[in-house]
Every structure is written in C-alpha cells, then in structure tokens.
Amino acid sequence: MTKQVIALGGVVMALLLGGLTGCEKSQKTAENAQKNKQFGVAAEETVFDGCYTIDKDTPATIKISQQNGGYVMQMKEPKGSQAIWDNPEKLEVLPLAQGWQYFSTNSIDLSSADAAGDVIARADKMLILLQTRQASANTNPMLDSRYVVSLMGAVNTIYQVPCDDTPVDLINNFHKNSQKG
C-alpha cells in the first residue's frame, strides 16, 4: 500500500509539474505577446534579405542583405560597368510608428495595420521598404506583392525576385516598361 501511495504521489507530482510547466509556457507566451503589442512589434517576422525589382518580369535591380548586424542595399550598375552591383550602402531600421509617415498617403489602399513590422530605409529616405502581412497581401486587390516601397515619395508594390548577376540596361528597361501601360 505504501508503494502504491508513493507511486500515485509521483504520478500526481509529475502531472502537477507538467501542468505548471505548461502554464508557465502559456503565461510566457501571453507576456511576450503583450510586450510585442506594447512595443509595436508585429507577430509576423519581417524578412528583407533578397533581391527586388519594380517590374516582376525583369531581373533584380536592388539587393538587400545583412551585414554587421544590420541591412545593406546594393543597386545594379548600368550595363557595361565592370561591377554588377555597387558598393553596399547601410540601411536604417525604422519602427513602424516612425516609418509609416512615408506610406501614409498611397494609392494602394494600405494602412499601417497592413505592415508586418519595422521598415528599412536609405539614410536619405529616398527609398523606404516595408513588408505587408500575408493576410493583407491576400485580401487587398491593390497588392500583388508582400513588399511595398516608397521611392522618392511614390508608394507602390515592389517584387522580391531571385538574385542574379545579369547585367541590365536600366535606362532602356525603364523606357520599355513605362511604355507598356
């Protein structure tokens, strides 16, 4: 009988400890969610590493990667240059509350609630990039990409495409694309 009580006590203790661990985990998750909400951190992770173009049918013209704990951006050099990509330029990470000002007026029916998190920007603020939430990209007919760019004040979608080292004739490609519409 004593062995049964000890065994039963062990099972009860294991269940209690397991339950407490589960409560601790769910309490920790709730605390993290509250902190995220308090500090404006989005539930979705933003991913900026990759290559981008303003026309999804053209090669990449912008490359964003991580370097020394931050983001850097490179632009493709014009066709005929010795290098394919220019020198990396450091980008700033802006909290959404600060970065949203560059997207607040737009023709793609975007609101700050559509943003997945922080935005990244060139130091001169001529190019600012944000990633939208997956749900926003799925439900907003004006979005056909999860990425949106404010380029010299104009807001539009930008496409993440495979990175490549294909030289591009930026001037001719721009004129061809602007004559499509």
Side-chain angles (χ1 to χ4, degrees):
M1 176 82 159
T2 311
K3 288 182 182 179
Q4 291 172 337
V5 170
I6 292 173
L8 183 60
V11 170
V12 170
M13 187 63 98
L15 287 173
L16 284 174
L17 287 175
L20 288 176
T21 303
C23 288
E24 286 175 17
K25 284 181 184 174
S26 58
Q27 181 179 358
K28 193 73 126 174
T29 302
E31 287 172 6
N32 287 341
Q34 184 60 34
K35 284 180 185 175
N36 287 349
K37 187 176 179 182
Q38 176 185 353
F39 294 110
V41 176
E44 291 184 53
E45 184 179 345
T46 52
V47 178
F48 292 111
D49 290 69
C51 290
Y52 299 86
T53 184
I54 57 171
D55 180 353
K56 62 184 169 188
D57 297 325
T58 61
T61 54
I62 299 170
K63 182 191 291 186
I64 296 176
S65 55
Q66 291 189 37
Q67 191 177 81
N68 299 325
Y71 287 105
V72 294
M73 178 182 109
Q74 293 174 273
M75 297 284 296
K76 268 207 180 151
E77 292 287 349
K79 193 174 192 174
S81 296
Q82 288 188 339
I84 301 293
W85 298 97
D86 69 359
N87 294 325
E89 179 181 341
K90 187 176 171 145
L91 298 174
E92 298 176 32
V93 177
L94 304 174
L96 181 59
Q98 181 183 352
W100 180 249
Q101 67 181 317
Y102 301 99
F103 298 93
S104 61
T105 303
N106 64 75
S107 60
I108 55 177
D109 199 23
L110 194 65
S111 76
S112 62
D114 294 317
D118 296 337
V119 300
I120 57 175
R122 282 179 29 155
D124 62 6
K125 308 300 187 281
M126 296 301 282
L127 182 140
I128 301 96
L129 183 69
L130 74 78
Q131 182 179 354
T132 65
R133 296 180 187 279
Q134 185 63 52
S136 299
N138 291 342
T139 58
N140 183 339
M142 304 295 281
L143 291 176
D144 59 350
S145 168
R146 284 197 64 194
Y147 295 92
V148 178
V149 65
S150 173
L151 184 61
M152 297 187 293
V155 175
N156 210 336
T157 54
I158 190 168
Y159 305 94
Q160 192 174 50
V161 295
C163 291
D164 63 72
D165 288 334
T166 305
V168 293
D169 189 343
L170 297 172
I171 303 300
N172 284 334
N173 282 356
F174 175 77
H175 287 295
K176 284 178 191 173
N177 292 333
S178 65
Q179 293 172 357
K180 282 183 184 178

